[in-house]
Amino acid sequence: MQKIGSALVLIILGLIVLAFPLLGVIPASVITGFIVLILGLGLLLGGIVEMGESAALGILEVVLGIIALILGIGFIFNPAMFSFLAAFIIYLAGFFLIIAGIMGVISNVGGSRWNGIVAIVIGVLYLIIGSFVSDPRVLGALIGLWLLITGIIMLFQKE
């Protein structure tokens, strides 16, 4: 019974977020921002403590902490920044998949070139999706679609 309730909540949330896509991006951006902010504070404090043992490692942690603090504040107050970074990560994954696919086709590792071809196709799809995800409304719609599909799958899944 609890699974059915969770599935229905996911379906309802998915439909709401599909109707109002920014309702999916803003909470994801704010939650991610707070997590990155806490990570940045931890890195900053850890870097200050680490300075006594290794100055280079301490400075690296402090710099990473400052970058994380800036990103965290940016995610909290600017959801478009979150969408941009999501699109950038999808682009990177697409490029890596294409490169890995080309290497797989050329080297024929694993005895099948189809793995490389599939990686290239998925990489191209990632590049296409990445170009749309930079718009916060599209990212919100994808979040809503994910919630809806997850809820439907959960509803019909046997225990």
Side-chain angles (χ1 to χ4, degrees), residues 15-139:
L15 292 173
I16 291 171
V17 171
L18 280 172
F20 306 101
L22 291 179
L23 287 178
V25 174
I26 293 172
S29 178
V30 171
I31 290 169
T32 304
F34 278 116
I35 291 170
V36 172
L37 197 64
I38 291 168
L39 173 72
L41 287 172
L43 282 169
L44 193 63
L45 294 174
I48 292 170
V49 169
E50 189 71 32
M51 290 264 197
E53 292 183 33
S54 171
L57 187 58
I59 291 171
L60 179 64
E61 284 188 47
V62 167
V63 169
L64 289 175
I66 291 170
I67 292 170
L69 287 173
I70 292 169
L71 282 176
I73 291 169
F75 290 164
I76 291 170
F77 294 109
N78 188 2
M81 183 180 180
F82 178 73
S83 295
F84 170 76
L85 191 61
F88 181 70
I89 290 170
I90 292 171
Y91 272 131
L92 281 178
F95 282 123
F96 283 131
L97 279 169
I98 290 171
I99 291 168
I102 291 170
M103 289 172 43
V105 168
I106 291 172
S107 67
N108 195 20
V109 173
S112 173
R113 294 182 195 268
W114 284 107
N115 293 338
I117 293 171
V118 169
I120 293 170
V121 170
I122 292 173
V124 170
L125 287 174
Y126 269 42
L127 292 179
I128 293 169
I129 291 170
S131 65
F132 292 113
V133 169
S134 60
D135 182 4
R137 293 170 296 187
V138 174
L139 181 59

